[in-house]
Amino acid sequence: MSPRQGITSLFLASGRWRAAPTVRNTVGMCASQKREYSEDFLLKCYQDHRKLWESKKMPENVNPRSVFGNNELDLRDIKVYGFDYDYTLAHYKVAVENLIYDLGKNVLVSKYRYPEEIKNLQYNRDLAVRGLHYDIEKGLLMKLDQFQQLQIGSIYRGLTRLSQEEVMKIYGSRSLPLHYVEGHLKGLCELANFQTGVAMDTKMAHLADLFSLPEMCLLSQVAQYFMDNDLPYHSVPLFNDVKAAISSIHPEMHRIVARNIDDYLIKDPGLVTFFERLKNNNKELFIITNSPFSFVNVGMTYLLGEDWRQYFDVVIASAKKPAFFTDSMRPFRELNEEILVQTWGPVTSLEKGKVYLEGNLRQLQEMREWHGQELLYFGDHPYSDLADVSLNHSWRTGAIIWELDYEIQCLNSLEYKKASGWLVVLQSLIESCQDLEDETSRQIVKKWVEERDQLRHKTKEMFNPQFGSVFRTHNNPTYFSRRLFRFADIYTSRLSNLNDYSINHTFYPRRGVLPHEYKSLFV
């Protein structure tokens, strides 16, 4: 083998270079060698990597009905199943987001006296994705990864994307300090943070539920309207007004949706099968939802039929989560269903067939004699649904993430497989060659880095043109993913996906490769 062939074979290896016989065995060949390599040789390395990539089979498609494990979960241990309602049992059509948006913008004009022209704005479903952050003081909508690093190219003021230079001028760094992003970790105003999504001592809002999509769109479009028309505005009052407007319209939204349920709710035929399987296997079931019972009753009747309450041992509405999980001074109130008014007497037991309001987790567990890891609770929000029961009460948790359907569709496309596969191989080549110090080599590696950046931009836009995937930035999981993986033992796109698994199934997390471990166990 010639020296050139030997070095080329080292480029193709998955790890860093090993020292060639003619080079001192130091930390790595790239780190110590100073000789020059010809342009032809480096281009040959590039072509060899292309051939290597083209010889590989594309990965098999991801099953969109899969249930994914973050933590080992044996369903044989689960005796009690609990559920949130909105976006867990109930999956809404985009029409609900349009409704929230339209009601919210009308409140901005009628109550807060914003310009009449704002009524002409239209909801853009493709503008944002769940899990973004909003810098309230600076008026910027952005995407962060699990290390609080900014994803450059995904930072917007209004509808205007900021350049890297503008971002660096504002923040002075590509990474934000933890206290800036998570002010509530200081221990101040935690309850306010959970209830509103904004800690009173932080400048950032994490928009982590699907109802926040119309809020982000309205916020961005109104800011852009002010900028386009040279109207002075302050980002803090704008954020507070939009948030208050969206919050205020929920009663009206509930009335409209309940009157036209077929226009707003998606019916999953597998949901009845799911609940029948649980009851046939003697599992106890409960609902804890923040929505009013009248609204939940219409939706559950549409989804499961008039007798939907036969499946559930406890029904709790208007629970005001996450206070339900954290405040033990909130007693249960029974709902008088004839006049839809809560009773004034004390509740000493939680009975099947009755409806309860407010309450707290401690009393729920005591009255029903439910404990810790025998409960599995499903919700769509990593914070208000899953965080506290997972961290402080040892409940097992499942997240229903509706975006998975679309994200997996993108992952399974041939275009994405080819682009992401070559991106991985190209980055390995760059990693191997980045320490070459002669000018010719540096210029060639610079071109490879430019190609890598183009590939990263391309794969990002396959999910969303502005912000990319809900679950990852270029290399790292997103801030949202980090919370999802921490607070949810399992996650999937819809509850009925569990019909594909035995009632005694064990979910195992995928064994990941740590940075200091083998890149692959197979050669």
Side-chain angles (χ1 to χ4, degrees):
M1 178 182 295
S2 70
R4 175 172 292 185
Q5 289 172 326
I7 294 173
T8 303
S9 68
L10 292 174
F11 276 125
L12 292 172
S14 59
R16 291 180 64 84
W17 286 1
R18 293 164 293 180
T22 57
V23 180
R24 265 190 317 125
N25 188 7
T26 59
V27 175
M29 183 173 176
C30 285
S32 62
Q33 68 82 38
K34 294 183 181 299
R35 62 177 295 183
E36 295 184 4
Y37 290 96
S38 70
E39 181 176 355
D40 289 343
F41 169 69
L42 292 175
L43 295 178
K44 175 67 163 55
C45 293
Y46 178 91
Q47 292 164 2
D48 287 345
H49 275 71
R50 289 286 300 192
K51 291 177 181 177
L52 174 67
W53 165 67
E54 291 170 354
S55 70
K56 301 293 184 181
K57 292 177 62 177
M58 293 292 106
E60 293 184 2
N61 283 351
V62 178
N63 180 2
R65 290 188 55 84
S66 290
V67 178
F68 306 96
N70 297 320
N71 193 15
E72 187 169 326
L73 173 62
D74 187 345
L75 293 183
R76 289 174 296 185
D77 297 333
I78 304 302
K79 300 177 182 177
V80 184
Y81 285 73
F83 308 91
D84 179 36
Y85 174 70
D86 292 301
Y87 284 110
T88 300
L89 294 171
H91 183 197
Y92 294 102
K93 299 177 181 178
V94 177
V96 166
E97 297 170 27
N98 279 284
L99 176 62
I100 293 172
Y101 176 90
D102 288 340
L103 292 173
K105 75 177 181 183
N106 290 338
V107 170
L108 280 181
V109 174
S110 62
K111 181 177 179 179
Y112 295 96
R113 303 303 182 186
Y114 277 56
E116 283 285 337
E117 290 78 9
I118 285 175
K119 285 188 175 181
N120 297 325
L121 298 175
Q122 299 295 316
Y123 179 53
N124 179 5
R125 180 63 174 78
D126 298 324
L127 176 66
V129 297
R130 181 161 41 152
L132 301 179
H133 279 79
Y134 188 78
D135 189 319
I136 302 169
E137 186 177 49
K138 295 179 172 59
L140 301 178
L141 186 64
M142 66 189 67
K143 186 177 180 183
L144 300 180
D145 74 5
Q146 62 177 337
F147 302 111
Q148 298 97 237
Q149 293 182 122
L150 300 158
Q151 178 170 282
I152 302 298
S154 295
I155 303 170
Y156 287 78
R157 176 175 283 113
L159 304 177
T160 305
R161 182 165 59 191
L162 271 62
S163 67
Q164 181 172 339
E165 292 73 23
E166 290 172 310
V167 172
M168 294 301 293
K169 184 176 180 181
I170 293 170
Y171 291 111
S173 172
R174 297 185 64 160
S175 179
L176 301 181
L178 186 64
H179 70 83
Y180 193 93
V181 178
E182 298 183 347
H184 64 279
L185 292 182
K186 299 175 185 176
L188 302 175
C189 306
E190 290 188 1
L191 183 59
N193 173 62
F194 275 124
Q195 289 176 331
T196 67
V198 185
M200 294 179 66
D201 61 330
T202 188
K203 299 177 181 179
M204 301 287 281
H206 188 209
L207 304 162
D209 62 56
L210 286 167
F211 282 132
S212 67
L213 292 178
E215 179 182 345
M216 286 187 277
C217 182
L218 184 59
L219 189 61
S220 299
Q221 290 181 337
V222 172
Q224 189 66 45
Y225 171 84
F226 286 148
M227 291 188 292
D228 290 344
N229 291 276
D230 295 322
L231 298 174
Y233 76 99
H234 196 291
S235 60
V236 175
L238 172 60
F239 175 82
N240 292 335
D241 289 349
V242 170
K243 191 164 195 66
I246 294 293
S247 297
S248 71
I249 58 87
H250 278 82
E252 179 65 15
M253 183 268 289
H254 288 154
R255 286 191 289 270
I256 294 173
V257 171
R259 288 198 303 264
N260 308 276
I261 196 70
D262 187 55
D263 294 335
Y264 294 102
L265 206 56
I266 297 173
K267 195 167 188 176
D268 182 354
L271 206 55
V272 172
T273 303
F274 172 69
F275 285 113
E276 287 180 347
R277 291 177 73 225
L278 294 181
K279 296 308 290 186
N280 290 339
N281 284 274
N282 300 314
K283 306 297 182 181
E284 294 184 90
L285 279 63
F286 66 93
I287 293 179
I288 304 175
T289 175
N290 289 346
S291 293
F293 176 72
S294 57
F295 178 68
V296 174
N297 186 40
V298 173
M300 292 299 288
T301 299
Y302 177 77
L303 294 172
L304 299 179
E306 293 285 345
D307 59 348
W308 68 269
R309 287 166 62 182
Q310 67 169 320
Y311 296 112
F312 295 93
D313 299 277
V314 177
V315 175
I316 302 167
S318 302
K320 299 181 181 179
K321 293 179 295 180
F324 180 91
F325 300 128
T326 59
D327 185 358
S328 61
M329 296 297 291
R330 302 171 66 254
F332 282 102
R333 307 288 298 275
E334 185 180 336
L335 178 69
N336 183 325
E337 295 184 56
E338 292 184 1
I339 56 176
L340 294 179
V341 173
Q342 58 193 15
T343 60
W344 53 266
V347 173
T348 57
S349 63
L350 300 175
E351 303 174 21
K352 184 170 184 176
K354 295 185 177 181
V355 177
Y356 300 94
L357 310 177
E358 300 186 26
N360 65 83
L361 181 144
R362 180 180 62 81
Q363 286 189 328
L364 170 67
Q365 294 188 132
E366 290 175 353
M367 290 181 186
R368 297 297 304 194
E369 297 183 350
W370 292 338
H371 303 288
Q373 295 207 350
E374 68 182 19
L375 285 87
L376 174 57
Y377 184 70
F378 288 93
D380 72 293
H381 197 297
Y383 295 153
S384 62
D385 288 328
L386 308 179
D388 190 76
V389 295
S390 173
L391 295 175
N392 299 320
H393 300 282
S394 300
W395 287 17
R396 309 310 301 271
T397 52
I400 302 302
I401 309 296
W402 297 99
E403 296 97 325
L404 275 171
D405 280 342
Y406 173 73
E407 295 256 344
I408 290 174
Q409 179 183 341
C410 293
L411 290 173
N412 288 341
S413 69
L414 184 60
E415 183 182 15
Y416 179 83
K417 288 180 180 181
K418 287 184 175 181
S420 61
W422 172 232
L423 175 59
V424 171
V425 176
L426 179 61
Q427 188 156 305
S428 177
L429 175 62
I430 293 169
E431 182 182 8
S432 297
C433 298
Q434 63 182 330
D435 294 321
L436 298 176
E437 296 184 358
D438 61 280
E439 184 61 26
T440 298
S441 298
R442 284 201 298 266
Q443 291 302 316
I444 291 174
V445 172
K446 181 180 177 181
K447 290 181 180 178
W448 295 346
V449 171
E450 291 172 354
E451 182 180 357
R452 181 204 64 155
D453 291 344
Q454 292 171 1
L455 284 167
R456 296 205 301 184
H457 184 71
K458 178 180 180 180
T459 53
K460 166 193 161 184
E461 287 196 330
M462 291 180 189
F463 295 93
N464 177 274
Q466 290 74 234
F467 297 99
S469 169
V470 173
F471 301 97
R472 75 159 53 243
T473 55
H474 293 312
N475 290 325
N476 298 322
T478 58
Y479 186 99
F480 175 81
S481 291
R482 175 185 172 189
R483 271 67 190 165
L484 172 66
F485 300 157
R486 176 63 183 89
F487 301 138
D489 292 303
I490 59 175
Y491 65 100
T492 189
S493 62
R494 62 195 67 225
L495 283 168
S496 60
N497 292 344
L498 285 154
N499 291 338
D500 297 345
Y501 299 83
S502 162
I503 200 73
N504 297 316
H505 186 86
T506 298
F507 295 100
Y508 296 98
R510 182 179 299 174
R511 181 181 174 87
V513 177
L514 300 177
H516 67 273
E517 292 181 329
Y518 310 109
K519 290 193 174 180
S520 173
L521 290 173
F522 304 98
V523 179

